[in-house]
Amino acid sequence: MTLRNRVRPDGTFEAVAARGTLTGNRGILHVADRQMGPALWTHRAWICCTLDWQGRRRTVMSGRTWTELFFLDEAVAMAAGHRPCGYCRRAAFDRFKAAWAHAFGPWPGVQAVDAALHRDRAVPGARALRTHPASAATLPHGAVFHWHGQDWLMGPDGMRPFAPDGWGPAQPPAKTPVLLRTPPTLVTILAAGYTPHLHPSATTCP
């Protein structure tokens, strides 16, 4: 059975067979029969994690500890509002902290960072995620936006359309306003030098 725990750039979940390159969580979102419930999150510490941690294996969406979510890559995870885990992705987390310090000043601690990210990504008083107006030409590499009914990655060779199994061929950047998927705080982190882990298709020539 294909589980509905693959995360799209808009932060919603879908059931697809394609394998992601990162996992992560937002709390316990599944019910006893391994089906996703209606919640999009149950806490604010949204993280993205490595798929391979010390050779450990577990049955996905079992027990009542956390719901394993999966992402095509870190650009999608960041678009959905996730930051790197400070435990299993320590090197990435340290790079994230350095970019935060460069952009905003001294690291305020994970709780303050998670609160700031939640203000960016969540619609106040609703169980829904936000978009923000932007110009594609000004976005840093790794940012994701919505344009003409499609989600796109901004890369060094142009913008690439999202699909569950990878990013499509590069096209010139859009010249009209777009809707930003990646929360503005994380866009600033990208602009400050944080390089996300990308799916190999993000650099594949057409």
Side-chain angles (χ1 to χ4, degrees):
M1 179 178 66
T2 301
L3 302 177
R4 193 174 66 88
N5 60 351
R6 182 67 177 274
V7 184
R8 294 184 55 83
D10 65 1
T12 62
F13 313 125
E14 63 179 345
V16 295
R19 183 176 173 82
T21 64
L22 291 170
T23 186
N25 88 85
R26 303 176 186 171
I28 303 172
L29 307 179
H30 64 283
V31 292
D33 58 0
R34 303 179 74 202
Q35 299 292 319
M36 294 292 279
L40 287 179
W41 66 85
T42 58
H43 61 57
R44 297 185 176 188
W46 298 15
I47 57 175
C48 57
C49 305
T50 181
L51 292 176
D52 184 12
W53 177 245
Q54 299 181 342
R56 298 178 187 176
R57 294 186 177 276
R58 55 183 283 125
T59 301
V60 174
M61 293 169 66
S62 64
R64 306 304 296 166
T65 53
W66 59 293
T67 296
E68 297 86 347
L69 305 175
F70 294 92
F71 311 92
L72 172 68
D73 62 11
E74 194 170 10
V76 171
M78 294 180 77
H82 291 245
R83 60 164 174 84
C85 175
Y87 183 63
C88 68
R89 298 185 65 221
R90 188 69 200 189
F93 182 70
D94 287 343
R95 291 190 292 107
F96 185 89
K97 288 175 64 177
W100 182 283
H102 179 74
F104 301 114
W107 178 252
V110 291
Q111 291 186 343
V113 168
D114 289 338
L117 293 179
H118 201 70
R119 288 192 294 270
D120 262 5
R121 68 195 173 210
V123 176
R127 287 293 183 176
L129 300 182
R130 302 173 64 182
T131 56
H132 303 264
S135 169
T138 66
L139 296 178
H141 300 161
V144 177
F145 60 91
H146 188 76
W147 180 70
H148 282 197
Q150 173 72 50
D151 289 328
W152 303 80
L153 170 71
M154 182 56 68
D157 55 356
M159 62 185 203
R160 291 176 177 264
F162 169 79
D165 58 353
W167 301 103
Q171 301 181 27
K175 296 185 181 300
T176 56
V178 300
L179 289 177
L180 190 59
R181 293 290 193 204
T182 309
T185 297
L186 293 179
V187 171
T188 303
I189 294 294
L190 292 170
Y194 183 80
T195 302
H197 168 77
L198 296 180
H199 189 268
S201 60
T203 56
T204 301
C205 296

